[in-house]
Amino acid sequence: MSIMEHNGAAMIAMAGADCVAIAADTRFGLRQQTVAVDFEKVFRMTDKTYVGFGGLATDVQTLRAALRFRLSTYELKEERVMKPKAFANLLSHVLYEKRFGPYFVEPIVAGLDDDGKPFLCGMDLIGAPVFCGDYVVSGTCTPNLNGMCEALWRPDMTPDELFEAISQCLLASVDRDALSGWGAIVHVITKDGVTSKRLKGRMD
Amino acid sequence: MTDCTFGFVGQKHKFVVVAADRSAARSIVVFKQDEDKVLELDASKLLGSAGSAPDGVAFTEFIQKNVALYEIDNGTRLDTFATANFIRNELAQALRRGPYQTNLLLGGLDRESPLYADDEASLYYIDYLASSNKVNFGCHGYASNFILSIFDKEWHPDLTVDQAKDLVQKCIDELQNRFLINLPE
């Protein structure tokens, strides 16, 4: 089993009309054994930028701390909040620093620009970014996730429609993957704030 | 070589139990049957290790001394969450240099303080790859295949101390019954 599949993950970030949502499962497992069902993989970086890390859990936790540090340093020096695009570039840089001994994570970044436009970015483990306008996925069941998102995503969804779409995509995808699932959490980011909800899915 | 460490919290998070087997063995030979693999970090924290014995001993003793140093330096004790993060960080840094092959269960009781409204017991499951999770019950090693199911069935948040002892005994009985490796204690 590949190192990226040691712990299991599934996450999606989707764009709507002036809103963006990011969702992930909450399973923490060691290969086939599930150890915890409340493992956070999506983290708030700024009020308008969330990042999800899919991959090896230890690197998820290490990167979270590393990025918090880098972001805080930036905010102290620049006296302003980091924009999502700048954050994505920072993350890409942090990952490439370890080009020949990488962090085994494939992050997705979801944020809102200053003008309210959604920002989505997916990366591989050494920081190669791809900027999308519709959705990005990451995890152990990416074929499932891609298929579901392709089917259910449509442009200009309202926050409620976006929440519904991303939840259905995630739940349906993880149900066919042994390594992900066991609970899910969705964050919907709009200019007015962030709503976080836990999804009730199959706990198997 | 520890084969089994397990633990759980009880009674609305008022106490935590950490247990480990007592055999010290290598390959087919058992050296001793009364090894203590649960280290007391301080008066309110326990660290059970599973996996490679030398790494387990070296790392847990290192943590124990650093926790003591913190108390001397700062005049106050680290709480369980901070200790878990410290342990995780040390393991994570070592991971890419020379990893410690040791899985850990950190159980701690945080007394009523500005941070905690009431006495709060917590259990952290820390993997050898340095991932840390706060759990209600946990088990390392092959024994987890047997014991996790027992916990799933029998654990509930309001365990009393007597029920906890029964639960530990159930786990031990199951291992002695169904686990290939003989763990007398």
Side-chain angles (χ1 to χ4, degrees), chain B residues 57-76:
Chain B
V57 169
F59 186 72
T60 50
E61 283 186 358
F62 170 73
I63 297 294
Q64 185 187 44
K65 302 316 170 204
N66 272 283
V67 166
L69 181 63
Y70 185 94
E71 191 173 349
I72 295 169
D73 274 343
N74 298 293
T76 179

Side-chain angles (χ1 to χ4, degrees), chain A residues 6 28 30 33-36 38-39 56-59 61-62 101-104, chain B residues 88 92 95-96 125 127-135 137 139 144-145 148:
Chain A
H6 185 72
F28 170 78
L30 297 175
Q33 186 180 85
T34 302
V35 171
D38 55 358
F39 186 69
L56 195 61
T58 174
D59 287 338
Q61 292 181 320
T62 305
Y103 292 115
F104 294 103
Chain B
R88 197 209 85 80
L95 183 66
R96 309 265 166 162
Y125 176 103
D127 197 12
Y128 76 100
L129 291 173
S131 48
S132 165
N133 275 283
K134 184 160 184 275
V135 292
F137 51 82
C139 181
S144 59
N145 293 317
L148 278 181

Side-chain angles (χ1 to χ4, degrees), chain A residues 9-12 14 135 137-152 166 168-181:
Chain A
M11 47 189 67
I12 315 176
M14 252 190 206
Y135 58 85
V137 301
S138 167
T140 48
C141 57
T142 39
N144 307 8
L145 291 164
N146 271 313
M148 283 304 304
C149 290
E150 190 65 53
L152 294 188
I166 200 174
Q168 295 295 348
C169 285
L170 187 66
L171 288 177
S173 308
V174 303
D175 280 348
R176 282 285 186 180
D177 181 28
L179 298 172
S180 49

Side-chain angles (χ1 to χ4, degrees), chain A residues 7 29 51 59 65 71 81 120 165:
Chain A
N7 294 124
V51 66
D59 287 338
L71 197 74
V81 172
L120 291 179

Side-chain angles (χ1 to χ4, degrees), chain A residues 34-46:
Chain A
T34 302
V35 171
V37 298
D38 55 358
F39 186 69
E40 294 274 353
K41 298 168 199 172
V42 177
F43 305 107
R44 175 198 169 278
M45 288 288 135
T46 73

Side-chain angles (χ1 to χ4, degrees), chain A residues 8-203:
Chain A
M11 47 189 67
I12 315 176
M14 252 190 206
D18 297 334
C19 57
V20 71
I22 182 165
D25 72 323
T26 50
R27 177 182 180 272
F28 170 78
L30 297 175
R31 302 220 166 168
Q32 77 284 4
Q33 186 180 85
T34 302
V35 171
V37 298
D38 55 358
F39 186 69
E40 294 274 353
K41 298 168 199 172
V42 177
F43 305 107
R44 175 198 169 278
M45 288 288 135
T46 73
D47 280 336
K48 293 272 177 349
T49 312
Y50 274 61
V51 66
F53 296 113
L56 195 61
T58 174
D59 287 338
V60 169
Q61 292 181 320
T62 305
L63 261 181
R64 181 209 177 186
L67 284 172
R68 257 175 85 185
F69 170 69
R70 301 286 275 250
L71 197 74
S72 302
T73 316
Y74 178 99
E75 289 186 358
L76 281 169
K77 281 189 194 167
E78 303 254 335
E79 291 181 1
R80 62 190 175 99
V81 172
M82 211 180 207
K83 294 199 176 95
K85 185 145 205 289
F87 176 75
N89 278 315
L90 170 67
L91 176 54
S92 173
H93 175 78
V94 166
L95 292 172
Y96 197 81
E97 273 179 339
K98 302 273 184 221
R99 169 66 178 81
F100 298 107
Y103 292 115
F104 294 103
V105 289
E106 284 175 347
I108 55 176
V109 181
L112 279 181
D113 280 336
D114 289 339
D115 48 356
K117 290 278 159 286
F119 172 83
L120 291 179
C121 174
M123 260 173 242
D124 70 357
L125 77 172
I126 44 174
V130 63
F131 303 100
C132 298
D134 42 13
Y135 58 85
V136 282
V137 301
S138 167
T140 48
C141 57
T142 39
N144 307 8
L145 291 164
N146 271 313
M148 283 304 304
C149 290
E150 190 65 53
L152 294 188
W153 186 84
R154 57 191 194 284
D156 297 323
M157 283 191 274
T158 66
D160 287 332
E161 291 172 337
L162 187 62
F163 172 77
E164 193 59 39
I166 200 174
S167 307
Q168 295 295 348
C169 285
L170 187 66
L171 288 177
S173 308
V174 303
D175 280 348
R176 282 285 186 180
D177 181 28
L179 298 172
S180 49
W182 284 89
I185 186 162
V186 183
H187 305 275
V188 181
I189 310 162
T190 62
K191 64 172 172 27
D192 300 320
V194 178
T195 345
S196 303
K197 290 188 189 147
R198 289 193 177 265
L199 302 180
K200 216 170 149 181
R202 286 180 66 103
M203 298 296 274

